[in-house]
Amino acid sequence: MDKHRIKLFIEKGTFNVGCVGPKYSAEELESLPQGRNLAQIGEILNHIREKYGDRVEVSIIDPRSIISIIDNIRYNIKSSKPTWILDGKKIFEEIPSWKELESRIDSVLAA
């Protein structure tokens, strides 16, 4: 059984000044766009883990990180938009519904 890989490019939900980031309450994080995105994505990642287990590996990558520069160029990643790469192909830019993502993953697994 082949393992499939999802790379999720999303800005991490922290704002750092120097090497120390401020602490935000749950309410403050929810008010930030990144906080809402992280909550939605967290639900989707739980669905992936529940349905696919070890068959699908997910890596979460901050597109502002220097280690992502090659992928940023290859897939035209915009740091402001969560971007989903499945087995080397960009499948979504923004946050898909679980059903949309599930359909894409299922089509790749069936191939």
Side-chain angles (χ1 to χ4, degrees), residues 6 40 44 47-48 52 84 86 91-108:
I6 292 176
Q40 287 179 286
I44 292 171
H47 286 302
I48 291 171
Y52 302 107
W84 302 74
L86 175 59
I91 57 171
F92 291 106
E93 198 172 70
E94 294 295 341
I95 302 173
S97 72
W98 164 239
K99 290 297 179 189
E100 291 172 314
L101 183 59
E102 179 184 37
S103 175
R104 288 285 179 94
I105 295 171
D106 286 345
S107 68
V108 168

Side-chain angles (χ1 to χ4, degrees), residues 4-91:
H4 298 273
R5 289 179 176 77
I6 292 176
K7 289 183 180 181
L8 170 57
F9 292 86
I10 183 170
E11 288 185 8
K12 301 230 174 161
T14 58
F15 301 95
N16 294 332
V17 179
C19 60
V20 179
K23 301 286 185 202
Y24 291 102
S25 70
E27 288 177 5
E28 289 171 316
L29 277 177
E30 182 60 28
S31 72
L32 301 169
Q34 295 92 333
R36 287 189 297 277
N37 287 348
L38 292 175
Q40 287 179 286
I41 288 171
E43 290 177 21
I44 292 171
L45 295 177
N46 284 333
H47 286 302
I48 291 171
R49 194 173 320 115
E50 288 170 8
K51 179 166 183 181
Y52 302 107
D54 291 339
R55 294 184 298 158
V56 176
E57 177 182 290
V58 178
S59 299
I60 301 172
I61 303 162
D62 190 327
R64 299 171 297 179
S65 168
I66 191 70
I67 63 169
S68 70
I69 194 162
I70 301 297
D71 283 337
N72 288 351
I73 295 166
R74 178 182 296 141
Y75 301 115
N76 192 25
I77 304 294
K78 297 169 186 66
S79 66
S80 61
K81 294 183 177 183
T83 304
W84 302 74
I85 309 298
L86 175 59
D87 290 345
K89 294 182 180 142
K90 185 192 275 190
I91 57 171

